[in-house]
Amino acid sequence: MLNPTEIRPLLKQWITKVMPHDAQDVFIEELCFIDKARRADLVHANGKLSAFEIKSHADTLSRWRGQEEAYLACFDEVWLCCHSKHLIKALEVSIPTVGILVVDDYSGMAMVRSAKSNRSQDKFHLTGFLWRDELDSLAKSSGVNVRGKDLIKDVRHKVSDALPLVEIRACVLRALKSRYS
């Protein structure tokens, strides 16, 4: 039985075979999001942010609904990579835009359902990926008035209220690719 640490390299191999992956694209393991309350097992940043939750044979799907909701608030694509024992339940409880990958006990992996583009991202939660200096720079370049003494949460609100999703998303993608390359 493979554990999540053993599944992750198999998942990376699958991603590089199936998805566009250039030299400047990055994999990010254990990326915290939603004010550090959640952690994505693997994120692929390649022009979009694709997040993968791994559920091994030893795991359950009991927390998946809450995790799925959090993933959908932040990522362009959401994938659930689960052991074959979880497949039926994964298909039943996951919304149709979530991609489903199945892994077996012999290191095999197959796509059951492709992820669809996520249209329910939350701008405020997306700004949570940015560090304070990155937020200040984005605000300044976009004409959003922030002060050094403003709390980071207040700056995130100002930026997410003032800017379109596409602009915030592009900044987050650049920042993450730079930080993890």
Side-chain angles (χ1 to χ4, degrees):
M1 312 278 172
L2 301 174
N3 65 40
T5 304
E6 295 165 325
I7 294 170
R8 193 175 292 116
L10 300 172
L11 181 54
K12 287 180 181 179
Q13 279 182 331
W14 181 87
I15 292 166
T16 56
K17 287 180 188 173
V18 175
M19 297 180 171
H21 184 82
D22 296 325
Q24 71 273 16
D25 298 335
V26 296
F27 287 109
I28 307 164
E29 297 181 9
E30 303 291 330
L31 179 64
C32 291
F33 64 106
I34 308 279
D35 300 320
K36 298 182 182 168
R38 299 289 185 175
R39 186 175 29 231
D41 289 320
L42 184 65
V43 173
H44 184 228
N46 71 333
K48 61 184 171 190
L49 289 175
S50 300
F52 297 82
E53 175 64 24
I54 298 170
K55 297 294 185 186
S56 70
H57 183 273
D59 290 320
T60 70
L61 293 179
S62 63
R63 295 182 309 128
W64 173 238
R65 286 201 175 126
Q67 290 172 314
E68 177 185 57
E69 183 179 326
Y71 274 76
L72 290 167
C74 294
F75 297 100
D76 298 315
E77 282 185 356
V78 176
W79 292 83
L80 176 60
C81 177
C82 65
H83 185 273
S84 55
K85 90 170 197 175
H86 302 303
L87 180 59
I88 301 298
K89 182 160 186 167
L91 288 165
E92 290 172 353
V93 300
S94 299
I95 68 166
T97 59
V98 170
I100 307 285
L101 299 170
V102 65
V103 64
D104 63 24
D105 294 328
Y106 306 101
S107 302
M109 188 170 293
M111 180 171 50
V112 176
R113 181 173 71 202
S114 181
K116 308 286 186 287
S117 183
N118 175 25
R119 305 216 187 285
S120 55
Q121 287 173 294
D122 180 282
K123 293 189 293 182
F124 178 76
H125 287 310
L126 205 51
T127 63
F129 288 119
L130 298 173
W131 290 344
R132 176 59 190 254
D133 63 323
E134 295 163 337
L135 276 168
D136 288 346
S137 176
L138 176 60
K140 183 177 180 179
S141 69
S142 302
V144 177
N145 186 26
V146 295
R147 299 176 314 223
K149 65 180 183 176
D150 290 344
L151 297 174
I152 192 166
K153 192 173 192 172
D154 294 335
V155 175
R156 287 176 58 201
H157 277 295
K158 287 179 181 183
V159 167
S160 60
D161 289 345
L163 301 180
L165 177 65
V166 66
E167 196 171 331
I168 295 170
R169 189 185 154 283
C171 182
V172 166
L173 194 55
R174 279 191 310 273
L176 291 177
K177 287 175 92 169
S178 173
R179 197 179 302 157
Y180 291 97
S181 61

